[in-house]
């Protein structure tokens, strides 16, 4: 995984190499310093001491604290045997040489210990940062994709790279992620992963060494962060599903209530008219008979519009409200709508004005007829009897603008957008289904247009 640096196992609180390797590093560093000091002939004691300090730093940096301490002791012996009179012996004749050697030993041990500690602290900090970056990238991937299997595979790969493992298998919930080759591992360890609600799974790692406590803590921290991200994602998905189920149930209930209410009124009128016509004993004149038939026709048309709105809402919810366009004139469509709605508009004079130069446009004629029918019917329902309805058709950019104005009570500015939501009715509307404006806007948007409400004088 990009951005992961593999650390030597003894850095950052990990397990140091074995004693033979530590001693070999100390001997090698001290021997190299001795050779460098002896090659040009015996250099000054101070120069030899500096070379031995460098050997201590090298041993501490390569193999850790105890290698540095061993190199300090060996350097003390080499400085005494090779560079302190009498040469070639371990005897020291002068007191000041004894003090100098002891001071050198103390300084070498302290310097080696400090250097090893600083390197270990730096490596530990950088590894913690790498662990944090790995946790953050995996959590972001959970939030972005929700692919638990892919995230756990990436996590296993990241842990193998970060800790120098031979294999890693992550089990969180029902998902499993793997990386590496288990056949290369000589030692297998299992690290449990817990959250507040209980055990979440485990991380099984294979290596050629025993993991240190610090490494186990780091692996557990990464696994816990990923487990939390997966738990949050699962909770969010469950909440979203529950909310969708609730909204669906509410929508079905509202649709059922609205449709049954709106069906009952025209059906009652049709039933009453048919009953009167079928009553053999009723004395019905030609005028009354015609009025009853007109009632049946009007209420049947009303039922048809209601069912069309319900079907359009279903298509809208399913994403199937796609226009089948052809070139047509809005004026002709409007005239057909007004002719069909003549019974509903009998109490409202309609003023239709079509400006010059209105172009034909690519529209789905059936859908646009439904849009205009809903708007005109809505205007008639809210306008007081005898009040006019004005319709203005004009060119607008490369399309057409239709403005329908009525004398209704108006809608407060903060509630106008809500009127385009399904089943939302105006305060004065007791008979509508609350679907007309929602369907009308959906059709307008599907045609690349807009539909909005605004106030006007009068």
């Amino acid at each position: 995984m990009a951005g992961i640096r593999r650390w030597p196992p003894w850095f950052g609180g990990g397990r140091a190499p074995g004693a033979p390797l530590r001693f070999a590093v100390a001997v090698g560093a001290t021997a190299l310093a001795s050779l460098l000091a002896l090659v040009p002939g015996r250099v000054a004691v101070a120069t030899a001491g500096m070379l031995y300090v460098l050997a201590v730093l090298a041993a501490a940096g390569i193999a850790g604290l105890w290698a540095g301490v061993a190199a300090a002791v060996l350097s003390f012996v080499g400085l005494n045997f090779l560079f302190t009179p009498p040469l070639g012996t371990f005897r020291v004749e002068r007191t000041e040489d004894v003090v100098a050697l002891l001071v050198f030993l103390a300084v070498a041990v302290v310097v080696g210990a400090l250097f090893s500690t600083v390197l270990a602290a730096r490596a530990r900090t950088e590894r913690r940062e790498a662990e944090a970056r790995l946790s953050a990238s995996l959590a972001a991937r959970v939030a972005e994709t929700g692919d638990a299997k892919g995230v756990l595979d990436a996590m296993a790969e990241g842990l193998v790279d970060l800790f120098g493992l031979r294999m890693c298998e992550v089990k969180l919930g029902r998902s499993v992620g793997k990386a590496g080759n288990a056949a290369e591992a000589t030692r297998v360890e299992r690290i449990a992963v817990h959250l507040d609600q209980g055990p979440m799974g485990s991380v099984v790692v294979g290596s050629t060494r025993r993991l240190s406590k610090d490494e186990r803590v780091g692996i557990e921290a990464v696994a816990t962060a990923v487990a939390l991200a997966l738990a949050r994602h699962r909770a969010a998905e469950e909440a979203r599903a529950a909310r969708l189920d609730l909204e669906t149930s509410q929508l079905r209930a509202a649709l059922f209530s609205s449709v049954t209410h709106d069906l009952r009124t025209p059906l009652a009128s049709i039933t009453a008219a048919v009953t009167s016509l079928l009553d053999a004993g009723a004395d019905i004149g030609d005028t009354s008979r015609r009025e009853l038939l007109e009632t049946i026709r009007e209420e049947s048309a009303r039922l048809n519009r209601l069912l069309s709105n319900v079907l359009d809402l279903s298509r809208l919810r399913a994403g199937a409200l796609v226009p089948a366009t052809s070139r047509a004139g809005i004026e002709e469509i409007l005239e057909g709508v007004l002719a069909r709605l003549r019974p509903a508009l009998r109490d409202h004079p309609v003023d239709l004005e079509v400006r010059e130069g209105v172009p034909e446009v690519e529209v789905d004629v059936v859908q646009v007829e439904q849009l205009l029918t809903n708007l005109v019917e809505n205007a008639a329902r809210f306008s007081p009897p005898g009040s006019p309805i004005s319709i203005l058709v004009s060119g607008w950019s490369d399309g057409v603008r239709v403005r329908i104005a009525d004398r209704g009570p108006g809608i407060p500015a903060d509630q106008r957008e809500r009127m385009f939501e399904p089943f939302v009715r105006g305060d004065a509307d007791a008979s509508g289904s609350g679907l007309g404006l929602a369907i009308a806007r959906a059709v307008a948007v599907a045609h690349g247009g807009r539909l909005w409400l605004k106030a006007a004088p009068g």
Side-chain angles (χ1 to χ4, degrees):
M1 178 174 289
I4 300 299
R5 175 181 174 183
R6 182 176 293 178
W7 303 105
W10 57 89
F11 274 8
R15 185 177 179 225
L21 179 57
R22 291 200 300 269
F23 186 71
V25 171
V27 170
T30 305
L32 181 60
S34 299
L35 288 175
L36 291 175
L38 291 172
V39 166
R42 284 185 173 84
V43 299
V45 177
T47 302
M50 294 299 297
L51 290 173
Y52 281 126
V53 170
L54 291 178
V56 172
L57 293 177
I62 294 172
L65 171 62
W66 293 110
V69 172
V73 174
L74 292 173
S75 296
F76 168 79
V77 172
L79 190 61
N80 180 11
F81 187 80
L82 298 175
F83 298 97
T84 303
L87 302 179
T89 69
F90 291 106
R91 290 186 299 107
V92 182
E93 295 179 344
R94 295 184 300 177
T95 304
E96 57 268 27
D97 290 338
V98 174
V99 173
L101 287 171
L102 293 175
V103 170
F104 168 81
L105 177 61
V107 170
V109 170
V110 171
V111 169
L114 289 176
F115 187 63
S116 175
T117 301
V118 169
L119 287 181
R122 177 186 174 187
R124 186 164 46 248
T125 300
E126 292 182 352
R127 196 179 69 192
R128 288 288 182 266
E129 291 176 355
E131 292 169 4
R133 286 195 299 272
L134 176 61
S135 300
S137 66
L138 294 172
R141 185 167 173 176
V142 170
E144 181 180 353
T145 67
D147 178 15
K149 177 66 169 61
V151 170
L152 295 188
D153 283 338
M155 174 183 166
E157 180 184 347
L159 292 177
V160 166
D161 289 341
L162 182 58
F163 293 94
L165 306 173
R166 292 293 182 268
M167 62 79 66
C168 180
E169 180 179 279
V170 184
K171 298 179 181 178
L172 293 177
R174 298 180 179 178
S175 302
V176 179
K178 298 180 180 180
N181 185 0
E184 299 177 0
T186 58
R187 184 181 182 88
V188 177
E189 299 181 50
R190 181 180 180 276
I191 301 170
V193 181
H194 296 269
L195 295 182
D196 291 342
Q197 57 267 41
M200 290 295 294
S202 63
V203 180
V204 179
V205 297
S207 183
T208 55
R209 57 186 173 82
R210 181 180 179 182
L211 293 181
S212 70
K213 180 180 178 180
D214 190 71
E215 288 175 313
R216 293 175 66 89
V217 169
I219 292 173
E220 185 178 358
V222 174
T224 300
V226 174
L228 281 171
L230 289 172
R232 283 196 299 268
H233 181 77
R234 243 184 335 262
E237 287 296 317
E238 291 172 358
R240 189 179 298 112
R243 186 167 59 251
L244 181 61
D245 288 343
L246 178 61
E247 291 176 356
T248 302
S249 299
Q250 291 175 340
L251 180 63
R252 288 173 179 169
L255 178 61
F256 180 78
S257 174
S258 177
V259 170
T260 52
H261 175 272
D262 292 333
L263 287 175
R264 188 176 292 114
T265 301
L267 283 175
S269 299
I270 293 173
T271 301
V274 170
T275 301
S276 298
L277 290 171
L278 292 176
D279 187 358
D283 184 14
I284 302 176
D286 292 341
T287 302
S288 297
R289 185 182 303 275
R290 182 175 182 81
E291 289 177 353
L292 291 172
L293 292 173
E294 284 290 339
T295 298
I296 294 173
R297 186 179 68 174
E298 291 175 10
E299 295 302 325
S300 297
R302 181 178 173 186
L303 280 176
N304 183 62
R305 290 194 298 273
L306 174 62
L307 292 176
S308 295
N309 277 336
V310 172
L311 292 175
D312 283 343
L313 179 64
S314 300
R315 288 195 290 268
L316 173 63
R317 294 286 180 179
L321 196 65
V322 179
T325 61
S326 60
R327 201 152 192 85
I330 295 297
E331 180 181 0
E332 288 79 6
I333 297 176
L334 258 173
E335 288 175 351
V337 168
L338 294 177
R340 189 167 58 256
L341 291 179
R342 189 174 293 114
L345 296 172
R346 58 177 172 266
D347 295 332
H348 302 281
V350 177
D351 179 17
L352 173 60
E353 179 183 355
V354 181
R355 297 277 173 86
E356 293 184 2
V358 175
E360 291 187 340
V361 286
E362 292 285 338
V363 295
D364 185 314
V365 174
V366 175
Q367 290 186 9
V368 171
E369 281 182 349
Q370 185 68 26
L371 181 157
L372 295 173
T373 297
N374 289 350
L375 295 183
V376 173
E377 191 176 36
N378 188 75
R381 182 183 301 118
F382 281 97
S383 295
S387 62
I389 296 174
S390 302
I391 304 176
L392 173 64
V393 181
S394 58
W396 181 264
S397 184
D398 58 347
V400 174
R401 176 174 179 172
V402 179
R403 178 179 179 271
I404 300 176
D406 58 56
R407 296 293 196 274
I411 299 172
D414 60 343
Q415 296 182 23
R416 289 172 191 164
E417 279 301 306
R418 287 192 66 250
M419 302 309 299
F420 293 102
E421 297 176 8
F423 307 112
V424 175
R425 308 180 185 183
D427 293 339
D429 185 15
S431 60
S433 64
L435 297 177
L437 290 181
I439 298 300
R441 171 170 278 187
V443 171
V445 171
H447 283 76
R450 292 194 303 128
L451 177 63
W452 67 96
L453 296 172
K454 69 176 184 178

